[in-house]
Amino acid sequence: MPPATPGSRRRIVVVATDADTGDGAAEFRAFFERHYAELARLAHLLTGETDAADDVAADAMLALWHRWDRVRAADHPAAYARGVVANLVRTRIRGTVRERRRIAAFWDRRPEHTEGPDVPAVLDVRTALRALPFRKRACVVLRHAFDLSERDTALALGVSVGTVKSQTAKGMAELQRLLGPRAAAELATGRR
């Protein structure tokens, strides 16, 4: 088997659908064509990394293909897919945090302390989003970047509507603190 390259996972998923001649393969192919770009965009906004986003979206599609009977039987297959992406990103973030902790323990370095925020970095929305804890970030991204309802966001994340409301409000308050009121308002209205 050739080594994986960015985007090669996507081709593997599409080839797998061509190999199967059942109705499920055609449904999955249509689902893939309709939702892959959206899932990659969601992964990009949650991770802040283009390459990681493509990998996460491809991994999500592969997982969805393996569970296609369960996915197509779901009331909201797109919400199910968003939940898979969110879970994969959460797992990736946890792995990154563990790796950073191991590296920090190995080098035994103390974090440097700065007095004031780095204004240019704070103004970058991606940097500000990455500063949010995962659930707040996922709620803000799904509600404001994807314009999902509270109910659809709750379905995608597997949480209650009340959790979505509180996490979105807290996330927006944190973004307002990081970006300033005007930039946060622009983000909430989709102008940024």
Side-chain angles (χ1 to χ4, degrees):
M1 176 177 256
T5 59
S8 65
R9 293 180 186 175
R10 185 176 349 164
R11 283 193 298 276
I12 290 170
V13 171
V14 173
V15 170
T17 63
D18 290 340
D20 186 349
T21 59
D23 289 339
E27 287 177 6
F28 179 78
R29 184 179 210 49
F31 183 86
F32 179 94
E33 296 295 329
R34 192 169 46 251
H35 295 286
Y36 181 82
E38 173 193 347
L39 296 177
R41 181 173 170 235
L42 172 62
H44 183 262
L45 288 169
L46 293 176
T47 64
E49 302 170 10
T50 303
D51 292 337
D54 194 44
D55 288 345
V56 168
D59 289 346
M61 282 296 183
L62 188 58
L64 293 169
W65 170 246
H66 288 298
R67 297 184 208 117
W68 185 242
D69 289 338
R70 188 180 318 160
V71 174
R72 71 180 177 180
D75 291 336
H76 304 283
Y80 187 101
R82 289 183 201 108
V84 170
V85 168
N87 287 333
L88 288 171
V89 170
R90 182 180 300 122
T91 300
R92 186 180 199 95
I93 289 170
R94 286 179 181 160
T96 301
V97 168
R98 282 193 298 272
E99 182 179 341
R100 286 180 184 163
R101 286 181 182 156
R102 283 192 298 267
I103 290 169
F106 179 77
W107 289 105
D108 192 34
R109 291 179 55 174
R110 294 185 182 162
E112 297 178 19
H113 180 70
T114 58
E115 291 301 318
D118 180 8
V119 175
V122 171
L123 293 177
D124 184 358
V125 173
R126 287 186 214 138
T127 301
L129 281 171
R130 279 193 295 254
L132 295 178
F134 176 78
R135 186 173 286 171
K136 288 178 189 172
R137 181 181 341 145
C139 288
V140 167
V141 165
L142 289 171
R143 290 282 294 127
H144 296 292
F146 281 79
D147 202 26
L148 292 182
S149 68
E150 291 168 340
R151 182 179 173 276
D152 289 342
T153 301
L155 280 170
L157 298 176
V159 297
S160 71
V161 172
T163 299
V164 169
K165 289 178 181 180
S166 69
Q167 292 296 297
T168 302
K170 290 176 184 176
M172 289 305 293
E174 184 69 14
L175 287 175
Q176 184 173 1
R177 186 185 68 73
L178 292 171
L179 298 170
R182 182 174 174 207
E186 288 176 0
L187 179 65
T189 60
R191 291 188 307 217
R192 179 172 272 222

